[in-house]
Amino acid sequence: MTTTSRSARRARSAQRILEAAQAEFAEHGFDGATVRAIAKRAGVHASLVMQHYGTKADLFAVAVQLPWNDQNGATDHLLDVLNVRVRELPPETRALVRSMLTDPDSEASMRDFLNDRVANLSQSFEGPDAELRALLAVSSILGLTITQHFLKLQAFEGVSADRLVEAAHAWMTTGHLGSGEEPDKTQE
């Protein structure tokens, strides 16, 4: 019979907590997720969550990090975010986006969040233009959120959320909007 080392058990507990936190934050956002709910989902005592990760904010910072140098993981993450944004916005997101242009605290909060997202996402992309591509992706999702939910552009009428995500996936992975045709590589 093999025994599991204390460090291996600790690492498995930390991984279960991280996975539980990612699920809780995804379902309930930062404000709605609780350390107790994360601990329950991970099958551990709440104090163990704090021992491994410190504060809820520290755990959130780790939970939202994308894998380093993983473009496919980054694309999947962006599509998950977009899938949420093209549907009904949670009240806290709606409030923050609406107030970011008039309230300095909301503006600073949004800017800090978006700067973190760009920095994190750029680590998942390869190449010298990684930060630029991350900036464009983050800015595009914010722009889509504003034009769809606040400005209510007419072009969104009759376009399903699934079609928007499908077009975004094609744009992110191939550079075109999924017309069914291959992009013309002779024009490069």
Side-chain angles (χ1 to χ4, degrees):
M1 179 174 150
T2 61
T3 59
T4 306
S5 72
R6 183 171 188 235
S7 62
R9 287 191 309 271
R10 184 168 170 73
R12 278 199 312 271
S13 291
Q15 185 62 35
R16 280 197 328 269
I17 292 167
L18 181 59
E19 289 169 2
Q22 289 168 329
E24 285 292 315
F25 289 132
E27 289 175 24
H28 306 288
F30 178 79
D31 292 333
T34 66
V35 171
R36 288 188 191 280
I38 292 167
K40 182 177 180 182
R41 188 180 281 235
V44 300
H45 191 275
S47 66
L48 195 55
V49 173
M50 306 318 275
Q51 286 177 15
H52 279 284
Y53 292 98
T55 67
K56 178 176 145 182
D58 292 339
L59 176 55
F60 180 76
V62 173
V64 298
Q65 293 298 309
L66 293 171
W68 187 80
N69 208 8
D70 179 5
Q71 178 130 2
N72 290 334
T75 299
D76 290 345
H77 170 74
L78 288 171
L79 291 172
D80 288 344
V81 169
L82 186 60
N83 199 28
V84 170
R85 295 293 180 259
V86 298
R87 298 178 196 288
E88 189 62 34
L89 289 180
E92 61 274 11
T93 302
R94 184 173 286 282
L96 180 59
V97 172
R98 185 177 302 281
S99 61
M100 72 181 184
L101 298 176
T102 58
D103 175 57
D105 290 337
S106 297
E107 176 189 344
S109 179
M110 181 62 90
R111 182 176 41 254
D112 290 347
F113 173 75
L114 294 175
N115 279 331
D116 287 346
R117 296 291 76 214
V118 169
N120 182 229
L121 186 58
S122 68
Q123 293 177 3
S124 297
F125 292 144
E126 293 179 1
D129 64 346
E131 185 174 47
L132 178 59
R133 289 186 294 137
L135 172 64
L136 290 171
V138 169
S139 298
S140 295
I141 290 173
L142 178 61
L144 180 67
T145 301
I146 292 169
T147 57
Q148 181 186 17
H149 295 287
F150 297 94
L151 298 176
K152 300 186 186 299
L153 292 185
Q154 255 183 334
F156 285 106
E157 292 176 15
V159 179
S160 72
D162 291 337
R163 179 64 183 118
L164 286 170
V165 172
E166 176 186 308
H169 180 265
W171 174 65
M172 284 185 220
T173 57
T174 65
H176 64 98
L177 294 178
S179 64
E181 300 175 22
E182 288 296 314
D184 184 4
K185 296 189 190 277
T186 62
Q187 299 295 320
E188 295 176 10

